[in-house]
Amino acid sequence: MNRNKREKEYYSIDVGDSTFMVLKRYQNLRPIGSGAQGIVCSAYDHNLERNVAIKKLSRPFQNQTHAKRAYRELVLMKCVNHKNVSASSPFLLPLQSVFADAVYLVMELMDANLCQVIQMELDHERLSYLLYQMLCGIKHLHSAGIIHRVGRGGVRGSQ
């Protein structure tokens, strides 16, 4: 695919303090959260005709630590296939692009993140169901040889 055709498939949009360079199929980007590795926004996927979440990993190739984190997240998200583990479809921009210093993960848009759910007042039945779902997801990760742990900065995954 030639460079001009690739460039026509993408567009640039400012979301919060970050510039996203995404495929034209993703529209109506709105920021919904941020963290140490980047920013997350919601978007409408015209191909799938539903809302999705897009996570931008900022400067994943800045140094070896960032590259390892980005690679680990890409591998884990691509390899893990379970209803209790959020799946994603990573995409990279063409290397000739000015914005090639970012990696974008597209995944299912959830109603709330885990931090928000923890702060909710849940009845015993809902809390039990949530805990069951989390344990099923973690069991699946462990059966795939992935160790999941909590660190000082929050939940982390490692291989």
Side-chain angles (χ1 to χ4, degrees):
M1 183 183 307
N2 67 33
R3 184 177 176 172
N4 288 337
K5 187 171 182 180
R6 277 194 306 245
E7 288 175 359
K8 289 180 184 177
E9 293 177 10
Y10 294 90
Y11 75 102
S12 173
I13 183 168
D14 290 333
V15 180
D17 293 337
S18 184
T19 300
F20 276 61
M21 184 75 164
V22 295
L23 293 165
K24 288 184 179 177
R25 68 187 268 185
Y26 303 111
Q27 296 291 321
N28 303 324
L29 279 71
R30 301 207 185 339
I32 57 175
S34 62
Q37 287 188 295
I39 184 171
V40 180
C41 68
S42 64
Y44 184 75
D45 183 339
H46 284 280
N47 288 10
L48 297 177
E49 297 181 343
R50 65 181 168 103
N51 289 318
V52 296
I54 302 176
K55 179 178 184 179
K56 177 183 178 182
L57 300 179
S58 300
R59 299 185 314 261
F61 311 112
Q62 175 182 354
N63 57 42
Q64 189 174 17
T65 301
H66 282 213
K68 283 181 180 180
R69 285 180 187 159
Y71 177 73
R72 179 174 50 226
E73 187 157 3
L74 287 167
V75 168
L76 291 176
M77 296 300 280
K78 202 65 179 156
C79 294
V80 176
N81 183 18
H82 190 268
K83 68 179 183 175
N84 298 111
V85 180
S86 179
S88 75
S89 302
F91 65 90
L92 296 167
L93 293 172
L95 292 177
Q96 298 87 349
S97 171
V98 173
F99 295 97
D101 65 341
V103 173
Y104 298 84
L105 303 172
V106 179
M107 58 195 87
E108 180 182 0
L109 179 64
M110 308 305 282
D111 293 331
N113 64 37
L114 186 55
C115 184
Q116 293 167 329
V117 172
I118 289 170
Q119 294 172 359
M120 292 178 186
E121 290 187 29
L122 301 174
D123 60 30
H124 179 73
E125 185 177 336
R126 285 194 174 100
L127 186 61
S128 297
Y129 182 72
L130 175 64
L131 182 58
Y132 173 77
Q133 297 297 314
M134 291 171 56
L135 291 173
C136 286
I138 291 171
K139 180 181 183 288
H140 178 74
L141 293 174
H142 286 188
S143 68
I146 299 166
I147 299 168
H148 193 274
R149 64 180 173 84
V150 176
R152 285 191 328 220
V155 177
R156 300 178 196 265
S158 63
Q159 272 185 302

